[in-house]
Amino acid sequence: MDYNKWLKHTFSSGASTGKDYIEFQKRMKFDLKKMAQENKLEIHSFSKNHYEFSAVLKDSQEDRFIYVGISDVRFFVNDWYKNVLIRTMKHDKDWTGGSNHFCCWKEVGVTARQLIEFMKRKDNQEKQKEELELEM
């Protein structure tokens, strides 16, 4: 995706979503799908909003989920690229999720994979702790 085209872009505004944003969102969804696949993830859901979007990524092998969201592109210039919200989810409808993390757009796939691996390690540690407590 040509990020430079959109980093320099001033988005339209109005009661209806502008054609420029619709094109941007379409390209971003395609880009997100590519980054997800590169990191053994898939797009579980994609929520189109007025001038922002969010998505839920799912681990291809396990039921582990990641929330991704960008701010309104009209008012938070280039935040969609520099400051993407990303956090773990206990399930695909967990909108409160884990701690907020932020990353650059082109790092979303890698960051999502790192968060999932962290969740796996944490779950394994908790499981081992429970097993030790049962032995006592």
Side-chain angles (χ1 to χ4, degrees):
M1 180 170 156
D2 181 11
Y3 298 118
N4 288 326
K5 173 185 177 181
W6 299 106
L7 285 167
K8 298 173 184 175
H9 187 74
T10 301
F11 286 91
S12 60
S13 189
S16 300
T17 306
K19 291 180 183 178
D20 58 341
Y21 178 75
I22 293 170
E23 179 189 346
F24 168 79
Q25 184 173 259
K26 180 180 173 183
R27 291 177 186 267
M28 292 291 280
K29 182 178 180 182
F30 180 81
D31 200 38
L32 181 60
K33 181 178 179 180
K34 181 181 171 210
M35 288 189 289
Q37 288 173 340
E38 290 170 353
N39 289 280
K40 298 179 182 164
L41 303 166
E42 58 194 47
I43 296 178
H44 180 73
S45 65
F46 189 89
S47 299
K48 300 175 182 179
N49 296 309
H50 191 52
Y51 278 90
E52 60 189 272
F53 66 82
S54 61
V56 175
L57 303 179
K58 180 183 181 289
D59 188 315
S60 300
Q61 299 169 354
E62 297 183 39
D63 280 345
R64 295 186 185 268
F65 300 91
I66 299 290
Y67 174 88
V68 176
I70 66 164
S71 300
D72 191 312
V73 297
R74 298 168 298 171
F75 305 118
F76 302 98
V77 179
N78 295 337
D79 252 20
W80 64 265
Y81 184 77
K82 299 183 295 184
N83 206 24
V84 180
L85 172 63
I86 185 168
R87 66 174 170 243
T88 59
M89 302 173 76
K90 292 179 183 172
H91 51 78
D92 65 336
K93 303 291 185 204
D94 176 18
W95 304 120
T96 57
S99 299
N100 290 348
H101 299 270
F102 295 89
C103 66
C104 179
W105 174 255
K106 64 183 179 179
E107 297 169 356
V108 166
V110 171
T111 304
R113 172 51 55 197
Q114 289 171 342
L115 288 172
I116 286 175
E117 294 304 320
F118 174 77
M119 285 178 15
K120 286 180 183 179
R121 285 191 303 275
K122 184 178 174 187
D123 289 350
N124 285 337
Q125 288 172 348
E126 288 175 8
K127 185 178 177 181
Q128 288 174 350
K129 182 180 177 184
E130 289 174 7
E131 288 172 356
L132 285 173
E133 288 174 356
L134 287 175
E135 290 175 7
M136 296 178 129

